[in-house]
Amino acid sequence: MTGKLDIDHLQQWIGRSEEATDIVTAQLVKGLRATLFQEVGEPRTGDAAPFTVHWCLAQPVFPMSMLGPDGHPTRGGFLPPVPLPRRMWAGGEIEFLQPLRVGDESTRTSRIADVQVKSGSTGTLCFVSVEHSISSPRGVAIRERQDIVYREMTANAPATAKAPPPPPNAQHRETHVSDPVLLFRYSALTFNGHRIHYDRDYVTEVEGYPGLIFHGPLQAALIIEMAAKLRSGKPPQKLTYRGVQPLFAGSEFSINASETADGMELWTANAERQPTMKGTAVW
């Protein structure tokens, strides 16, 4: 799907909103804990869920006939119909006000905040910013902004910026393997049909990447959980994060943190210790 990008038309989506509700179940919490390398346990009503459980809740459900070739729903509903085929989660900002708990009915209110077109090393880019407010019976639990980027399809592998030099050694570091099963589990938990995370033939032959792509939200979730673990279970008041370069399945990756004067710098990195996502947290 590639057509003329009419920014005036796309910006008509700014201000559109939608609302969705879901229940934080014990089974969902168990699955997410397992995927985030946490002790699974037996969560009970009232127990706090992982901090980004809301990314698993009330995800849009469309019939198979309404899915595009990339596995995403065809565009033009809540999200604007950007005619650029590659879609990625570029980053965002998230504020934690209170935890969601097992048994909560959660309501997410979403609004298209901005639509912008830019030019980069990979060609034309369209950024869509979406604001979310997630509430529980106790009030607003989370506020966040998600930045989604759409880019052109090319015949060859996507051009990427020159890899940045490795950062200084982290004060805190965990390593794991980006196993395809891990990516499949997260796609299932978030009802994410995007083929780049589980369909190797599609991601290599159609989109031109060298392998399955690790989810941006999963990297952000691991960063947030590490930050909270280092602060006695308290999540950041605010985390600002952005994707730096893709992280691919099949190799070791790390979650890293270093203290700063007013918070913490956090990042994920590939096996060569090149950052793939960076975040700044404050409490």
Side-chain angles (χ1 to χ4, degrees):
M1 179 192 69
T2 303
K4 182 180 179 182
L5 201 159
D6 184 344
I7 186 60
D8 292 334
H9 176 63
L10 297 177
Q11 288 183 336
Q12 293 177 17
W13 264 254
I14 295 174
R16 292 197 183 194
S17 63
E18 66 174 10
E19 188 173 282
T21 61
D22 204 348
I23 304 294
V24 181
T25 67
Q27 185 68 17
L28 172 61
V29 169
K30 288 175 69 174
L32 187 55
R33 284 178 178 174
T35 305
L36 297 178
F37 306 103
Q38 298 176 349
E39 183 179 345
V40 175
E42 290 295 337
R44 301 182 183 278
T45 299
D47 288 352
F51 296 110
T52 57
V53 70
H54 64 289
W55 288 339
C56 304
L57 297 172
Q59 293 302 309
V61 177
F62 291 87
M64 295 296 292
S65 60
M66 292 183 65
L67 299 183
D70 63 354
H72 275 306
T74 52
R75 301 166 192 172
F78 173 64
L79 289 172
V82 179
L84 299 174
R86 281 200 181 100
R87 170 179 166 177
M88 301 286 279
W89 190 319
E93 185 174 272
I94 185 165
E95 297 178 67
F96 295 98
L97 307 178
Q98 57 177 298
L100 293 173
R101 299 183 178 277
V102 175
D104 280 351
E105 180 177 87
S106 170
T107 299
R108 183 185 67 243
T109 303
S110 305
R111 173 183 174 274
I112 304 296
D114 197 13
V115 181
Q116 294 290 334
V117 174
K118 300 179 181 180
S119 294
S121 60
T122 57
T124 301
L125 306 173
C126 183
F127 290 87
V128 177
S129 293
V130 186
E131 293 176 346
H132 301 283
S133 176
I134 296 91
S135 64
S136 74
R138 296 172 298 282
V140 177
I142 297 166
R143 295 191 186 97
E144 73 167 312
R145 186 196 76 248
Q146 294 174 3
D147 299 325
I148 303 167
V149 61
Y150 299 83
R151 63 183 71 217
E152 298 172 291
M153 188 75 76
T154 58
N156 301 315
T160 57
K162 183 179 179 181
N169 289 333
Q171 293 174 348
H172 310 278
R173 186 170 184 261
E174 293 181 3
T175 60
H176 301 282
V177 174
S178 54
D179 188 279
V181 177
L182 174 67
L183 306 191
F184 173 82
R185 281 185 162 194
Y186 196 73
S187 287
L189 285 166
T190 56
F191 203 68
N192 182 355
H194 200 180
R195 290 180 182 271
I196 64 173
H197 304 303
Y198 62 87
D199 187 337
R200 183 174 178 82
D201 287 345
Y202 172 84
V203 75
T204 57
E205 296 175 11
V206 178
E207 297 219 9
Y209 291 100
L212 298 176
I213 298 176
F214 201 104
H215 308 69
L218 179 51
Q219 293 181 66
L222 292 166
I223 281 174
I224 290 164
E225 293 292 341
M226 171 176 256
K229 183 165 62 176
L230 294 171
R231 292 295 176 92
S232 303
K234 184 178 180 180
Q237 180 181 1
K238 180 184 293 186
L239 174 79
T240 304
Y241 63 98
R242 63 182 179 87
V244 178
Q245 61 177 323
L247 175 61
F248 298 103
S251 63
E252 182 183 88
F253 74 99
S254 60
I255 314 158
N256 306 270
S258 289
E259 302 284 348
T260 64
D262 56 356
M264 200 176 292
E265 295 292 333
L266 301 118
W267 65 95
T268 49
N270 58 24
E272 290 73 37
R273 298 203 176 189
Q274 297 168 338
T276 56
M277 176 173 284
K278 291 182 177 182
T280 301
V282 295
W283 278 259

